[in-house]
Amino acid sequence: MQRLPKQFFANLVRKVNAKVATGADVINLGQGNPDQPTPDFIVKAMQEATAKPANHKYSQFRGDPELKKATAAFYKREYGVELDPEKEIAILGGSKIGLVELPFAILNPGDTMILPDPGYPDYLSGVALADVRLELMRLKEENQFLPDYDDLDAAVVQRAKLMYLNYPNNPTGATATPEFFKKTVDFAKQNQIGVVQDFAYGAIGFDGKRPVSFLQTPGAKDVGIETYTFSKSYNMAGWRIGFAAGNADMIEAINLIQDHLFVSVFPAIQKAAITALNSDQQSVRDLVALYEKRRNQFFSAARAIGWEPYPSGGSFYAWMPVPKGYTSESFADLLLEKAAVAVAPGNGFGAGGEGFVRVGLLIDEPRFTEACQRIKKLGLF
Ligand SMILES: Cc1ncc(COP(=O)(O)O)c(C=O)c1O
Protein backbone atom coordinates (compact mmCIF):
# COMPACT_ATOMS: atom_id res chain seq x y z
CA MET A 1 0.00 0.00 0.00
CA GLN A 2 2.85 2.34 0.80
CA ARG A 3 4.22 1.91 -2.71
CA LEU A 4 1.04 3.29 -4.27
CA PRO A 5 1.61 6.65 -5.94
CA LYS A 6 0.22 9.85 -4.48
CA GLN A 7 -2.92 10.94 -6.28
CA PHE A 8 -1.64 14.16 -7.83
CA PHE A 9 -5.05 15.21 -9.04
CA ALA A 10 -6.72 14.74 -5.66
CA ASN A 11 -4.65 17.75 -4.64
CA LEU A 12 -5.93 19.72 -7.64
CA VAL A 13 -9.53 18.86 -6.74
CA ARG A 14 -8.86 20.09 -3.18
CA LYS A 15 -7.49 23.39 -4.47
CA VAL A 16 -10.47 23.86 -6.83
CA ASN A 17 -12.97 23.04 -4.07
CA ALA A 18 -11.27 25.52 -1.72
CA LYS A 19 -11.60 28.21 -4.40
CA VAL A 20 -15.26 27.35 -5.02
CA ALA A 21 -15.86 27.55 -1.24
CA THR A 22 -14.78 31.21 -1.34
CA GLY A 23 -17.79 31.85 -3.60
CA ALA A 24 -15.68 32.24 -6.76
CA ASP A 25 -17.27 31.31 -10.10
CA VAL A 26 -14.64 28.73 -11.05
CA ILE A 27 -14.42 27.61 -14.69
CA ASN A 28 -13.14 24.06 -14.34
CA LEU A 29 -11.05 22.98 -17.30
CA GLY A 30 -9.01 20.61 -15.18
CA GLN A 31 -11.00 17.40 -15.43
CA GLY A 32 -11.40 14.54 -17.88
CA ASN A 33 -14.96 13.53 -17.07
CA PRO A 34 -17.20 13.61 -20.19
CA ASP A 35 -19.97 16.18 -19.71
CA GLN A 36 -22.57 14.81 -22.15
CA PRO A 37 -25.15 12.18 -21.14
CA THR A 38 -25.07 8.57 -22.30
CA PRO A 39 -27.11 8.36 -25.53
CA ASP A 40 -30.78 7.59 -24.88
CA PHE A 41 -30.88 4.36 -26.84
CA ILE A 42 -28.15 2.92 -24.61
CA VAL A 43 -29.91 4.04 -21.43
CA LYS A 44 -33.14 2.43 -22.71
CA ALA A 45 -31.31 -0.83 -23.48
CA MET A 46 -29.96 -0.74 -19.92
CA GLN A 47 -33.43 -0.09 -18.46
CA GLU A 48 -34.88 -3.05 -20.34
CA ALA A 49 -31.97 -5.31 -19.42
CA THR A 50 -32.20 -4.29 -15.76
CA ALA A 51 -35.84 -5.40 -15.64
CA LYS A 52 -34.98 -8.94 -16.74
CA PRO A 53 -34.32 -11.40 -13.88
CA ALA A 54 -31.81 -13.30 -16.03
CA ASN A 55 -29.57 -10.26 -15.72
CA HIS A 56 -29.73 -10.25 -11.92
CA LYS A 57 -27.64 -13.38 -11.62
CA TYR A 58 -23.88 -13.68 -11.53
CA SER A 59 -22.41 -12.88 -14.89
CA GLN A 60 -20.28 -15.50 -16.59
CA PHE A 61 -16.80 -15.14 -15.10
CA ARG A 62 -15.24 -13.98 -18.33
CA GLY A 63 -18.12 -11.80 -19.43
CA ASP A 64 -21.10 -12.19 -21.74
CA PRO A 65 -20.12 -14.19 -24.86
CA GLU A 66 -22.53 -12.00 -26.84
CA LEU A 67 -20.61 -8.88 -25.81
CA LYS A 68 -17.36 -10.50 -26.90
CA LYS A 69 -18.94 -11.38 -30.27
CA ALA A 70 -20.25 -7.80 -30.63
CA THR A 71 -16.76 -6.51 -29.79
CA ALA A 72 -15.18 -8.70 -32.47
CA ALA A 73 -17.80 -7.54 -34.99
CA PHE A 74 -17.14 -3.90 -33.99
CA TYR A 75 -13.39 -4.21 -34.55
CA LYS A 76 -14.00 -5.95 -37.89
CA ARG A 77 -16.45 -3.28 -39.04
CA GLU A 78 -14.60 -0.23 -37.72
CA TYR A 79 -10.96 -1.26 -38.23
CA GLY A 80 -10.95 -4.34 -40.47
CA VAL A 81 -9.37 -6.33 -37.62
CA GLU A 82 -10.27 -10.01 -37.05
CA LEU A 83 -10.51 -11.11 -33.41
CA ASP A 84 -11.41 -14.43 -31.83
CA PRO A 85 -14.15 -13.41 -29.34
CA GLU A 86 -13.18 -15.99 -26.72
CA LYS A 87 -9.39 -15.98 -27.00
CA GLU A 88 -8.56 -12.45 -28.03
CA ILE A 89 -11.05 -10.31 -26.10
CA ALA A 90 -11.37 -9.71 -22.34
CA ILE A 91 -14.21 -7.71 -20.79
CA LEU A 92 -13.07 -5.09 -18.27
CA GLY A 93 -14.93 -3.15 -15.59
CA GLY A 94 -13.53 0.01 -17.20
CA SER A 95 -10.23 0.03 -19.07
CA LYS A 96 -8.38 1.42 -16.04
CA ILE A 97 -8.77 -1.96 -14.35
CA GLY A 98 -7.10 -3.77 -17.25
CA LEU A 99 -4.27 -1.24 -17.38
CA VAL A 100 -3.63 -1.52 -13.65
CA GLU A 101 -3.97 -5.31 -13.27
CA LEU A 102 -1.99 -6.33 -16.36
CA PRO A 103 1.55 -5.75 -14.97
CA PHE A 104 0.52 -7.72 -11.88
CA ALA A 105 -0.82 -10.52 -14.09
CA ILE A 106 2.11 -10.93 -16.48
CA LEU A 107 5.26 -9.58 -14.80
CA ASN A 108 7.34 -10.75 -11.87
CA PRO A 109 8.44 -8.37 -9.14
CA GLY A 110 11.55 -6.55 -10.27
CA ASP A 111 10.77 -6.88 -13.99
CA THR A 112 11.00 -3.69 -16.02
CA MET A 113 8.18 -1.86 -17.75
CA ILE A 114 8.27 1.33 -19.77
CA LEU A 115 5.68 4.08 -19.52
CA PRO A 116 5.26 7.24 -21.57
CA ASP A 117 6.17 10.56 -19.93
CA PRO A 118 3.93 12.54 -19.89
CA GLY A 119 1.30 9.87 -19.43
CA TYR A 120 -1.96 8.89 -17.77
CA PRO A 121 -1.10 8.81 -14.04
CA ASP A 122 -3.10 5.66 -13.22
CA TYR A 123 -0.55 3.49 -15.09
CA LEU A 124 1.70 4.09 -12.08
CA SER A 125 -0.72 2.25 -9.80
CA GLY A 126 -0.09 -0.94 -11.82
CA VAL A 127 3.66 -0.47 -11.49
CA ALA A 128 3.32 -0.20 -7.70
CA LEU A 129 0.94 -3.15 -7.30
CA ALA A 130 3.16 -5.42 -9.39
CA ASP A 131 6.33 -4.16 -7.67
CA VAL A 132 8.06 -3.76 -11.03
CA ARG A 133 10.84 -1.44 -12.05
CA LEU A 134 9.66 1.62 -13.92
CA GLU A 135 11.45 3.27 -16.83
CA LEU A 136 10.04 6.30 -18.59
CA MET A 137 10.18 7.23 -22.23
CA ARG A 138 9.94 10.90 -23.01
CA LEU A 139 7.32 12.14 -25.43
CA LYS A 140 8.70 15.28 -27.00
CA GLU A 141 6.94 17.99 -28.90
CA GLU A 142 9.52 17.88 -31.70
CA ASN A 143 8.52 14.21 -32.25
CA GLN A 144 4.79 15.04 -32.20
CA PHE A 145 4.71 13.46 -28.72
CA LEU A 146 5.53 10.02 -30.13
CA PRO A 147 8.39 8.15 -28.41
CA ASP A 148 11.66 7.79 -30.28
CA TYR A 149 12.76 4.22 -29.55
CA ASP A 150 16.34 5.08 -30.58
CA ASP A 151 16.48 7.45 -27.60
CA LEU A 152 15.99 4.63 -25.10
CA ASP A 153 18.94 3.32 -23.17
CA ALA A 154 20.06 -0.07 -24.62
CA ALA A 155 20.20 -1.68 -21.17
CA VAL A 156 16.63 -0.57 -20.44
CA VAL A 157 15.40 -1.94 -23.75
CA GLN A 158 17.10 -5.24 -23.04
CA ARG A 159 15.51 -5.54 -19.61
CA ALA A 160 12.06 -4.28 -20.50
CA LYS A 161 9.20 -6.77 -20.73
CA LEU A 162 6.21 -4.47 -21.18
CA MET A 163 5.49 -0.98 -22.49
CA TYR A 164 2.42 1.23 -22.64
CA LEU A 165 1.35 3.62 -25.37
CA ASN A 166 -1.71 5.86 -25.49
CA TYR A 167 -2.96 7.40 -28.74
CA PRO A 168 -4.93 9.59 -29.16
CA ASN A 169 -2.91 10.79 -26.22
CA ASN A 170 -3.89 12.00 -22.79
CA PRO A 171 -2.66 14.65 -21.98
CA THR A 172 -1.21 16.01 -25.25
CA GLY A 173 -3.96 15.24 -27.79
CA ALA A 174 -1.28 13.78 -30.12
CA THR A 175 -2.26 10.95 -32.48
CA ALA A 176 -0.27 8.01 -33.81
CA THR A 177 0.46 7.12 -37.44
CA PRO A 178 0.41 3.65 -39.04
CA GLU A 179 4.19 4.06 -39.62
CA PHE A 180 4.77 4.68 -35.91
CA PHE A 181 2.75 1.59 -34.97
CA LYS A 182 4.73 -0.44 -37.53
CA LYS A 183 7.96 0.76 -35.92
CA THR A 184 6.50 -0.22 -32.56
CA VAL A 185 5.72 -3.77 -33.70
CA ASP A 186 9.27 -4.13 -35.12
CA PHE A 187 10.80 -2.72 -31.92
CA ALA A 188 8.66 -4.97 -29.72
CA LYS A 189 9.48 -8.10 -31.75
CA GLN A 190 13.19 -7.38 -31.83
CA ASN A 191 13.35 -6.82 -28.10
CA GLN A 192 10.57 -9.14 -26.92
CA ILE A 193 8.57 -6.42 -25.23
CA GLY A 194 4.81 -6.71 -24.79
CA VAL A 195 2.86 -3.66 -25.94
CA VAL A 196 -0.31 -2.21 -24.47
CA GLN A 197 -1.87 0.53 -26.58
CA ASP A 198 -4.46 2.43 -24.55
CA PHE A 199 -7.13 3.39 -27.10
CA ALA A 200 -9.38 5.20 -24.61
CA TYR A 201 -9.81 8.13 -27.03
CA GLY A 202 -9.89 5.87 -30.09
CA ALA A 203 -13.18 7.30 -31.33
CA ILE A 204 -12.14 10.92 -31.03
CA GLY A 205 -10.15 12.12 -34.04
CA PHE A 206 -10.41 15.47 -35.78
CA ASP A 207 -9.98 17.04 -39.22
CA GLY A 208 -11.50 14.01 -40.96
CA LYS A 209 -8.73 11.77 -39.62
CA ARG A 210 -9.87 8.66 -37.83
CA PRO A 211 -7.42 7.46 -35.14
CA VAL A 212 -5.74 4.24 -36.24
CA SER A 213 -6.01 1.13 -34.11
CA PHE A 214 -2.74 -0.52 -33.10
CA LEU A 215 -4.32 -3.85 -34.06
CA GLN A 216 -4.51 -2.72 -37.68
CA THR A 217 -0.71 -3.00 -37.80
CA PRO A 218 0.50 -6.29 -39.29
CA GLY A 219 1.93 -8.43 -36.49
CA ALA A 220 0.40 -6.31 -33.68
CA LYS A 221 -1.40 -9.27 -32.18
CA ASP A 222 1.93 -11.11 -31.89
CA VAL A 223 3.23 -8.48 -29.50
CA GLY A 224 0.39 -6.76 -27.75
CA ILE A 225 -3.11 -5.70 -26.95
CA GLU A 226 -5.26 -2.61 -27.21
CA THR A 227 -7.56 -1.47 -24.40
CA TYR A 228 -10.82 0.30 -25.22
CA THR A 229 -13.43 2.01 -23.09
CA PHE A 230 -17.10 2.91 -23.40
CA SER A 231 -16.44 5.87 -21.07
CA LYS A 232 -15.42 8.30 -23.80
CA SER A 233 -17.03 6.99 -27.03
CA TYR A 234 -20.46 6.62 -25.43
CA ASN A 235 -20.25 8.90 -22.36
CA MET A 236 -20.49 5.86 -20.09
CA ALA A 237 -17.71 6.78 -17.65
CA GLY A 238 -19.80 5.95 -14.59
CA TRP A 239 -20.98 2.62 -15.96
CA ARG A 240 -17.52 1.03 -15.77
CA ILE A 241 -17.17 -1.03 -18.90
CA GLY A 242 -14.39 -1.57 -21.41
CA PHE A 243 -12.41 -4.34 -23.01
CA ALA A 244 -8.95 -5.46 -24.04
CA ALA A 245 -8.30 -7.06 -27.43
CA GLY A 246 -5.35 -8.67 -29.15
CA ASN A 247 -2.58 -11.04 -28.08
CA ALA A 248 -4.16 -14.26 -26.79
CA ASP A 249 -1.59 -14.87 -24.04
CA MET A 250 -2.00 -11.39 -22.59
CA ILE A 251 -5.80 -11.70 -22.83
CA GLU A 252 -5.63 -15.06 -21.04
CA ALA A 253 -3.54 -13.47 -18.27
CA ILE A 254 -6.14 -10.72 -17.82
CA ASN A 255 -8.99 -13.23 -17.82
CA LEU A 256 -7.20 -15.44 -15.31
CA ILE A 257 -6.47 -12.67 -12.81
CA GLN A 258 -10.04 -11.43 -13.24
CA ASP A 259 -11.41 -14.94 -12.53
CA HIS A 260 -9.96 -14.41 -9.07
CA LEU A 261 -10.81 -10.75 -8.55
CA PHE A 262 -14.25 -10.23 -10.12
CA VAL A 263 -17.34 -11.92 -11.48
CA SER A 264 -17.25 -9.68 -14.56
CA VAL A 265 -19.57 -6.69 -14.96
CA PHE A 266 -23.32 -6.42 -14.10
CA PRO A 267 -25.00 -8.35 -16.97
CA ALA A 268 -27.39 -5.49 -17.78
CA ILE A 269 -24.45 -3.16 -18.38
CA GLN A 270 -22.94 -5.72 -20.73
CA LYS A 271 -26.26 -5.91 -22.64
CA ALA A 272 -26.32 -2.12 -22.97
CA ALA A 273 -22.71 -2.23 -24.16
CA ILE A 274 -23.75 -4.68 -26.91
CA THR A 275 -26.41 -2.17 -28.00
CA ALA A 276 -23.77 0.57 -28.12
CA LEU A 277 -21.34 -1.45 -30.24
CA ASN A 278 -24.03 -2.73 -32.61
CA SER A 279 -25.47 0.75 -33.20
CA ASP A 280 -24.84 2.74 -36.36
CA GLN A 281 -22.32 4.87 -34.38
CA GLN A 282 -24.17 8.10 -35.28
CA SER A 283 -24.06 9.14 -31.60
CA VAL A 284 -20.27 8.80 -31.71
CA ARG A 285 -20.01 10.90 -34.87
CA ASP A 286 -22.22 13.57 -33.27
CA LEU A 287 -20.06 13.56 -30.12
CA VAL A 288 -16.81 13.86 -32.10
CA ALA A 289 -18.33 16.76 -34.07
CA LEU A 290 -19.14 18.50 -30.77
CA TYR A 291 -15.59 18.00 -29.45
CA GLU A 292 -14.08 19.18 -32.73
CA LYS A 293 -16.25 22.30 -32.66
CA ARG A 294 -15.18 23.01 -29.09
CA ARG A 295 -11.53 22.43 -29.97
CA ASN A 296 -11.77 24.90 -32.85
CA GLN A 297 -13.59 27.47 -30.71
CA PHE A 298 -11.11 27.13 -27.87
CA PHE A 299 -8.11 27.30 -30.18
CA SER A 300 -9.50 30.52 -31.73
CA ALA A 301 -10.19 32.06 -28.31
CA ALA A 302 -6.72 31.10 -27.04
CA ARG A 303 -4.93 32.31 -30.17
CA ALA A 304 -6.85 35.58 -29.97
CA ILE A 305 -5.12 36.29 -26.63
CA GLY A 306 -1.72 35.11 -27.93
CA TRP A 307 -1.79 31.65 -26.29
CA GLU A 308 -0.73 29.11 -28.93
CA PRO A 309 -2.03 25.56 -28.40
CA TYR A 310 -0.31 22.34 -29.43
CA PRO A 311 -2.39 21.31 -32.49
CA SER A 312 -4.21 18.26 -31.11
CA GLY A 313 -5.55 15.69 -33.55
CA GLY A 314 -7.81 13.85 -31.13
CA SER A 315 -9.05 13.38 -27.53
CA PHE A 316 -10.90 16.18 -25.76
CA TYR A 317 -7.84 17.91 -24.36
CA ALA A 318 -5.84 20.94 -25.38
CA TRP A 319 -2.16 20.92 -24.39
CA MET A 320 -1.17 24.48 -23.67
CA PRO A 321 2.32 25.90 -23.07
CA VAL A 322 2.93 27.95 -19.93
CA PRO A 323 4.32 31.47 -20.31
CA LYS A 324 7.98 32.25 -19.59
CA GLY A 325 8.87 32.49 -15.92
CA TYR A 326 6.27 29.94 -14.79
CA THR A 327 6.23 26.23 -14.09
CA SER A 328 3.17 24.13 -14.89
CA GLU A 329 2.14 24.25 -11.27
CA SER A 330 2.82 27.92 -10.58
CA PHE A 331 0.91 28.84 -13.76
CA ALA A 332 -2.04 26.57 -12.86
CA ASP A 333 -2.06 28.04 -9.33
CA LEU A 334 -2.02 31.56 -10.74
CA LEU A 335 -4.93 30.84 -13.11
CA LEU A 336 -6.98 29.42 -10.27
CA GLU A 337 -6.09 32.17 -7.84
CA LYS A 338 -6.36 35.22 -10.10
CA ALA A 339 -8.76 34.12 -12.87
CA ALA A 340 -10.77 31.36 -11.15
CA VAL A 341 -9.86 29.05 -14.04
CA ALA A 342 -8.82 25.50 -13.17
CA VAL A 343 -6.45 23.63 -15.50
CA ALA A 344 -4.40 20.47 -14.92
CA PRO A 345 -0.69 21.21 -14.47
CA GLY A 346 1.36 19.20 -16.98
CA ASN A 347 3.84 17.92 -14.40
CA GLY A 348 0.99 15.89 -12.86
CA PHE A 349 1.44 13.60 -15.90
CA GLY A 350 5.19 13.25 -15.27
CA ALA A 351 8.28 15.43 -15.56
CA GLY A 352 7.82 15.33 -19.35
CA GLY A 353 4.65 17.37 -18.94
CA GLU A 354 6.49 20.30 -17.34
CA GLY A 355 5.99 23.51 -19.28
CA PHE A 356 2.38 22.72 -20.21
CA VAL A 357 -1.08 22.67 -18.71
CA ARG A 358 -3.93 20.47 -19.88
CA VAL A 359 -7.27 22.03 -20.70
CA GLY A 360 -10.28 19.69 -20.85
CA LEU A 361 -12.91 20.82 -23.34
CA LEU A 362 -15.79 19.37 -21.39
CA ILE A 363 -17.93 22.46 -20.99
CA ASP A 364 -19.73 24.56 -23.57
CA GLU A 365 -18.19 27.32 -25.58
CA PRO A 366 -19.22 30.49 -23.73
CA ARG A 367 -17.41 29.30 -20.61
CA PHE A 368 -14.02 28.56 -22.13
CA THR A 369 -14.12 31.76 -24.17
CA GLU A 370 -14.78 33.54 -20.88
CA ALA A 371 -11.86 31.63 -19.35
CA CYS A 372 -9.60 33.02 -22.11
CA GLN A 373 -10.93 36.53 -21.49
CA ARG A 374 -10.16 36.23 -17.77
CA ILE A 375 -6.66 34.90 -18.58
CA LYS A 376 -6.09 37.78 -21.02
CA LYS A 377 -6.57 40.23 -18.16
CA LEU A 378 -3.54 38.75 -16.40
CA GLY A 379 -1.43 40.24 -19.22
CA LEU A 380 0.83 37.20 -19.58
CA PHE A 381 0.68 36.65 -23.34
C1 LIG B 1 -5.64 7.67 -21.19
C2 LIG B 1 -6.73 7.04 -20.41
N1 LIG B 1 -6.75 5.71 -20.31
C3 LIG B 1 -7.70 5.07 -19.60
C4 LIG B 1 -8.67 5.78 -18.95
C5 LIG B 1 -9.65 5.02 -18.10
O1 LIG B 1 -10.89 4.92 -18.64
P1 LIG B 1 -11.98 3.95 -18.04
O2 LIG B 1 -11.42 3.27 -16.84
O3 LIG B 1 -13.13 4.80 -17.71
O4 LIG B 1 -12.27 2.95 -19.12
C6 LIG B 1 -8.70 7.18 -19.03
C7 LIG B 1 -9.73 7.95 -18.32
O5 LIG B 1 -9.68 9.13 -18.16
C8 LIG B 1 -7.70 7.82 -19.78
O6 LIG B 1 -7.65 9.16 -19.89
Side-chain angles (χ1 to χ4, degrees), residues 94-96 99 120 123 166 170 198 200-201 229 231-232 240:
S95 61
K96 169 177 169 168
L99 293 160
Y120 178 56
Y123 301 147
N166 166 221
N170 177 9
D198 174 357
Y201 299 90
T229 178
S231 301
K232 321 287 174 179
R240 310 312 301 136

Side-chain angles (χ1 to χ4, degrees), residues 247-294:
N247 183 271
D249 292 335
M250 290 164 86
I251 293 296
E252 174 58 24
I254 291 176
N255 276 328
L256 187 57
I257 189 83
Q258 295 201 148
D259 286 346
H260 294 269
L261 289 171
F262 313 114
V263 191
S264 198
V265 175
F266 177 29
I269 292 179
Q270 296 191 64
K271 294 294 183 209
I274 295 172
T275 303
L277 291 179
N278 286 346
S279 73
D280 63 8
Q281 308 302 305
Q282 188 54 44
S283 68
V284 183
R285 284 189 290 278
D286 293 346
L287 183 66
V288 174
L290 172 73
Y291 287 143
E292 182 161 354
K293 190 165 130 208
R294 285 178 179 172

Side-chain angles (χ1 to χ4, degrees), residues 69-83:
K69 279 189 204 144
T71 300
F74 171 81
Y75 254 74
K76 174 80 184 143
R77 212 171 50 237
E78 298 291 319
Y79 302 109
V81 170
E82 299 276 356
L83 291 165

